[in-house]
Amino acid sequence: MKQKIVMKVPMNDPKSRSKAMKTAVGIQGVISATLEGGNKEELVVVGEGVDSVVLTTLLRKKMGFTELVSVAVVDEKKKEEETKPSSEIAVLPTYWAYQYSMPQPLNYVYQDPYQDNCCIM
């Protein structure tokens, strides 16, 4: 069953927003994470089988003050009905650009095991 977890996290700069998003997405079962609210201080996490207490505790360790606002069940039937009318979306093929480089030669250092370390003779 999908859950929608809303948390209030103080995020003042883009670095802290990125840190909060990485922390939220790193938990097993998270499908999506978005920032909402006036100052983008609410982190909305949608996932399947996500433990909200573990997520809140982890964000408190990484970010500081974190408040769990709400946990709700997401209805999949409503979303399926909303997506049916907009099913005619053009999908363009994606081409990936690869850069090929020449393989670098391997350098080996050979040391003679019978060589004497005496530098006088």
Side-chain angles (χ1 to χ4, degrees):
M1 127 175 90
K2 287 187 180 180
Q3 296 177 344
K4 180 179 179 182
I5 304 168
V6 180
M7 291 170 287
K8 187 172 183 181
V9 182
M11 296 177 276
N12 300 328
D13 55 348
K15 186 177 180 181
S16 62
R17 289 185 182 122
S18 174
K19 188 176 181 180
M21 293 289 283
K22 284 181 184 179
T23 304
V25 173
I27 291 183
Q28 185 178 8
V30 173
I31 296 172
S32 68
T34 58
L35 294 173
E36 293 181 358
N39 294 333
K40 301 225 180 219
E41 289 190 351
E42 288 185 356
L43 181 65
V44 178
V45 177
V46 177
E48 205 166 312
V50 179
D51 190 3
S52 60
V53 176
V54 171
L55 180 60
T56 306
T57 306
L58 191 60
L59 280 170
R60 281 182 184 157
K61 285 182 182 178
K62 299 262 181 164
M63 300 295 299
F65 178 76
T66 302
E67 179 183 352
L68 184 61
V69 177
S70 69
V71 178
V73 177
V74 177
D75 293 331
E76 295 179 17
K77 293 178 183 177
K78 290 181 181 178
K79 287 190 175 184
E80 290 176 3
E81 292 173 2
E82 292 174 2
T83 58
K84 285 183 182 177
S86 63
S87 64
E88 296 182 23
I89 298 174
V91 178
L92 299 175
T94 304
Y95 298 103
W96 297 96
Y98 293 104
Q99 286 186 331
Y100 295 104
S101 63
M102 294 294 295
Q104 299 295 322
L106 298 175
N107 296 329
Y108 293 103
V109 177
Y110 176 74
Q111 291 183 347
D112 188 18
Y114 301 109
Q115 182 182 5
D116 195 16
N117 290 334
C118 181
C119 62
I120 295 174
M121 295 186 161

